[in-house]
Amino acid sequence: MSSGHSLSRRGLLTGGAAVAGAGALARPAVAQSRIEWSMVTSWPKNLPGPGVSAERIARDIELASGGRMVVQVHAAGEIVPALAVFDAVSEGAAEMAHTASLFWAGKAKVAPVFTAAPFGLTPLEHITWIDHGGGQELWDELYRPFGVKPFMAGNTGFQMGGWYRGEIASFDDFKGLKIRMPGLGGEVARRLGATPVSLPASEILPALQSGTIDATEFLGPWSDLAMGFWQVAKNYYWPGFHEPNGTGEGLVSISAWEKLPDDLKAIVRHVLAVENIRGLGEAEWENARALEQLTQEKGVVLRRFPDDFLAAARQASDEVFDELADAGGVQAEIVESYRSARARMQPWSEVSEAALLAARR
C-alpha cells in the first residue's frame, strides 16, 4: 500500500490505544475500517472501453463493500505515466492498476500473451484458457517476482488491423512503415520489415498527424472512433491478426492483497470477473455501432489485408512463439500452455462459431 494510506490507517488503529478506549468506540465503524486504494491506469479518463471499465470497477468495489473499500481512479499521467503503472504497483506507489499485459514485454517477453497473441485465442477462447486451462496459475507465477497479482479486468474484444495513411496492396507495401504496434504484434511487424513504435494512447493521434508514424493499431471501432484516428488515416484494415483478443489487466499489489480480509478479496475478485464479461459484451455492441458510423459518416474505407501479407505474418508469428519457448522456464511453460489451448479449442471453434458465421452469412 502507498505510504500515505498506510499512515492514515495506522493512526486510526493506534489512536484509540493512546486515549480512552471509549473514544475509539465512539467513532463510526466504517471510518475505523475503511480501506482506501489508488488505481493508476494506462488510459485517458473514461476512454471508451478500458477507461470505462476502470471507473466501473472502482464504483462496484465501493458499492459491493458497503463503503468499506474505496478505490480512487487516476487516469494516465495523473500520478504516473501510462506505461509506468506496473512499476507503480510493484513498488508500492499504488495498490492497483488497470492496464494491458502487452505493455510489459520489457519485463517478461511472454507477458503480452495475457492480453493477446498474433493469430491466437479469440476472446472467449482466452477466457476459457485463463479460467479453465491453467492460464491464471501461469500468469500469477510470471508476475509473482514483481510483487504483483494479475486478474482479467475487462475485454475490448476482437481488435481491428489498424489505421493506415496509404493502402497495403501487397506484402511489400508494409515494409518500411513506422507503425504504433506494441506487444508480440510489434515483433511480428518488425520481422515483416516495418518499424514498430510503442506509444501511450494520448500520444498516438499527434504522432499520426505529424507523420512520426505512418499507421497505428489501437483497439476496436468504439475506442478508435473516440481517439479520432479517422481524421488522419482513412484506410481501416482487418483482420486484427496481431491482437484477436483484448483482455484488460487488473494489477494488484500482493502486499496490499494479503492485507485484505477474505470477504473483500472475494468482492475484488468478483467485481473484476464481472467487468471482464460486461466489458466484452459492451465492446461487441458498441463496436458494431461505431463501425457503421465510421464507414457511413466519417468516410472510412474498410480494407482486408492481402493474403500474401497474412501468410507472411502467420509465419513470423510462429517464429516469435518458437523463440519465446526456447527461453525455457515459466516462459516456455506459458507458450506451451497457450499453444495447447489453441490446438484443443480450434476444432470446436471451427464447427461451432466459425461454421455458424459462415452459414449465417
Side-chain angles (χ1 to χ4, degrees), residues 160 163 220-222 225 236 284-302:
M160 287 291 287
W163 299 84
W222 183 31
L225 173 64
Y236 200 20
E284 291 292 291
W285 185 257
E286 294 295 343
N287 279 336
R289 175 195 59 78
L291 184 63
E292 180 180 12
Q293 186 175 352
L294 286 166
T295 55
Q296 295 190 9
E297 300 177 16
K298 306 299 185 183
V300 171
V301 180
L302 287 179

Side-chain angles (χ1 to χ4, degrees), residues 114-134:
F114 292 101
T115 290
F119 299 96
L121 301 174
T122 67
L124 184 56
E125 288 174 339
H126 188 94
I127 292 169
T128 302
W129 172 55
I130 294 294
D131 281 345
H132 303 285

Side-chain angles (χ1 to χ4, degrees), residues 252-268:
V252 175
S253 159
I254 291 177
S255 175
W257 177 256
E258 290 176 346
K259 291 181 174 67
L260 290 181
D262 288 344
D263 64 330
L264 289 183
K265 285 180 180 177
I267 285 172
V268 172

